[in-house]
Amino acid sequence: MSLLEQIDMSRLPQHVAIIMDGNGRWAKEKGKLRAFGHQSGVLSVRDTVEGAVKAGISYITLYAFSTENWNRPKLEVYALMELLVSTINRETKNLMENGVRLNAIGDLHSLPSKCYRQLQETIQKTSVNTSCTLTLALSYSSRWEITQAARSLALDVRDGNLNPEDINERIFASRLNTADIPDPELMIRTSGEYRISNYLLWQLAYSELYFTPKLWPDFRREDLYEAVIDYQKRERRFGKTSEQLQSF
Ligand code: IPE
Ligand code: IPE
Ligand code: MG
């Protein structure tokens, strides 16, 4: 039985978030420049997204560039931004064929204008697609996102449009970049690092976390399927006891 066939379609995660890590180490192992690792990582993105569509996963969110990544050497940042523009441009056709709608979260205005324009163009073009929403986290930091949400609520209170007493989790979540996206049930990080690195801190509150030693350029749809199968073996208790869950 193939890995895809082993997935229980009745308990499929709706949303899988991924921290694509290990491009640099992958390139170094091969005696190549870090930029080569990033380029190779694009193949993993394509295969993983196609695999997600085949499995029927509705939302996939990829951490592509963190706010902290701006502190990398200028040349690497430049290479990543160029790669972003060329990849989004080249992959638009593929996204259309697979019914994938592109979306982005993060401080998008801090991206070079060429990147921003290409991103908006493809987001616009793919907005008719309904199979899967692919969200790229770009110049993204979860603390930044949460701070923005707090500021927007504060401004509404100041202007008399919101009572502080009315602020609840639902309203707070509606001010995050992910307002229209359900929380991820599963978060995958590659490269054997066991940390969240400022990714979706609010949204991951009850997600199942899956860590794999594979470096991102080696990751393929089968690895996604393995993570989903692992996720399906887990019992999500949300604070309850195991007995309470079994009585349903
Ligand atoms: C992930 O790979 C890609 C980005 C952060 C843009 P890295 O570039 O972090 O690779 P390692 O972790 O140094 O191996
Ligand atoms: C997290 O990877 C960000 C992305 C994958 C884009 P990093 O490689 O930047 O994370 P740290 O610095 O090891 O925590
Ligand atoms: Mg890294």
Side-chain angles (χ1 to χ4, degrees), residues 19-21 63-66 69 72 189 193 195 197:
I19 301 179
M20 311 184 287
D21 198 15
Y63 206 177
F65 194 85
S66 73
N69 289 148
R72 291 197 177 186
R189 182 172 189 147
E193 306 292 354
R195 56 178 171 267
S197 301

Side-chain angles (χ1 to χ4, degrees), residues 64-81:
F65 194 85
S66 73
T67 307
E68 291 76 18
N69 289 148
W70 288 115
N71 299 320
R72 291 197 177 186
K74 266 204 174 66
L75 205 61
E76 181 170 350
V77 171
Y78 179 78
L80 278 165
M81 293 299 147

Side-chain angles (χ1 to χ4, degrees), residues 45 53 62 71 73 93 116 118 121 127 129 134 191 195 247:
V45 172
V53 172
L62 304 177
N71 299 320
K93 190 167 159 270
Y116 183 81
Q118 178 64 61
E121 191 187 312
S127 62
N129 294 338
L134 166 63
S191 90
R195 56 178 171 267
S247 65

Side-chain angles (χ1 to χ4, degrees), residues 1 29 52 55 155 159 203 232 238 246:
M1 214 165 41
E29 272 179 7
L155 290 172
D159 297 341
Q203 298 86 342
Q232 292 185 329
F238 299 101
Q246 262 132 47

